[in-house]
Amino acid sequence: MKLKKTERRQAIQKAIDSNPFITDSELCEKFEVSIQTIRLDRTNLNIPELRKRIKLVAEQNYEQIRALEASEVIGDLIQVEPNKSAQSIIDITEDSVFMKTQIVRGHVLFAQANSLCVALIHNSTVLTQESNIEFIEKVKLHDTVRAEAIVLNKTMQHYVIEVNSFVKDTLVFKGTFKMFYISEERING
């Protein structure tokens, strides 16, 4: 059963509030309306397009990182809980893929995961000591990759962080990173 315009707009607002990264296409499927209808509803609700919503969230999260400049993070930082977890997304563009196959270059996925690990550690000096990574599925031009990092262990010098990267709900990359950091106490002590 289709919703009336007012009800649909309220439901769209709730859907975007609960998941700011939901696409217009996903909203079309959810509410069984055209993409033009979703865009008109978003405009009426003063909700920016997905790319602008991502940038707004990322700008708020960049204030929480210490070891990198915002421009050094590969992808857009969409969630960060310092020293615990973080997420980023990256849109795969032509400069990220091999021209013949349109498949992403491996270093792009590694760089997204690695910079996410550095960004989540709330110290000014963070370096990658080791990593164990696995490429699971092909990622192609125009895919959006969401990387999720979570701290597994912390010592006086290292964090061990697990990163899982997805295209939609499909796991495409996973890795464990051992990150060396210099604590502020060691610098000042």
Side-chain angles (χ1 to χ4, degrees):
M1 183 173 120
K2 286 194 175 186
L3 299 173
K4 293 181 180 177
K5 185 191 308 186
T6 306
E7 294 169 331
R8 184 183 64 243
R9 287 180 177 172
Q10 290 172 346
I12 289 170
Q13 181 72 60
K14 284 182 184 175
I16 292 174
D17 287 346
S18 69
N19 176 10
F21 310 112
I22 192 168
T23 67
D24 285 352
S25 296
E26 291 167 330
L27 291 168
C28 288
E29 289 176 27
K30 183 175 180 126
F31 296 107
E32 299 176 358
V33 294
S34 70
I35 195 130
Q36 293 87 350
T37 300
I38 292 297
R39 289 177 180 154
L40 284 170
D41 288 345
R42 269 194 311 95
T43 300
N44 181 271
L45 294 165
N46 293 319
I47 298 171
E49 65 174 333
L50 176 62
R51 193 83 220 136
K52 287 183 183 172
R53 293 194 309 267
I54 291 169
K55 289 293 183 194
L56 289 170
V57 170
E59 286 170 7
Q60 294 167 355
N61 285 312
Y62 291 133
E63 296 171 7
Q64 298 184 60
I65 60 176
R66 295 180 61 197
L68 298 171
E69 295 296 323
S71 62
E72 296 172 318
V73 176
I74 307 302
D76 292 311
L77 193 60
I78 59 171
Q79 178 269 326
V80 63
E81 189 174 347
N83 302 329
K84 293 185 180 175
S85 66
Q87 291 184 47
S88 70
I89 60 174
I90 190 169
D91 291 323
I92 303 304
T93 58
E94 288 183 2
D95 61 339
S96 300
V97 298
F98 293 107
M99 295 304 285
K100 286 185 179 183
T101 62
Q102 302 293 287
I103 296 172
V104 74
R105 299 168 184 264
H107 69 269
V108 173
L109 298 179
F110 176 84
Q112 178 189 21
N114 190 69
S115 70
L116 187 58
C117 290
V118 175
L120 83 81
I121 299 172
H122 200 64
N123 285 84
S124 56
T125 304
V126 180
L127 303 168
T128 306
Q129 184 165 345
E130 7 178 308
S131 65
N132 181 7
I133 62 169
E134 185 178 349
F135 297 92
I136 298 167
E137 294 289 336
K138 293 180 192 108
V139 177
K140 298 181 179 174
L141 180 65
H142 305 303
D143 282 345
T144 298
V145 180
R146 184 183 79 256
E148 301 175 350
I150 186 162
V151 172
L152 300 177
N153 190 26
K154 178 189 175 197
T155 68
M156 288 298 290
Q157 293 184 341
H158 298 96
Y159 279 83
V160 176
I161 300 169
E162 179 182 78
V163 178
N164 291 298
S165 299
F166 302 87
V167 172
K168 296 186 179 166
D169 293 327
T170 302
L171 182 67
V172 296
F173 171 94
K174 67 180 181 178
T176 305
F177 293 78
K178 185 176 184 182
M179 307 300 291
F180 172 79
Y181 72 99
I182 299 175
S183 70
E184 305 304 317
E185 298 93 45
R186 283 189 287 164
I187 292 172
N188 298 327

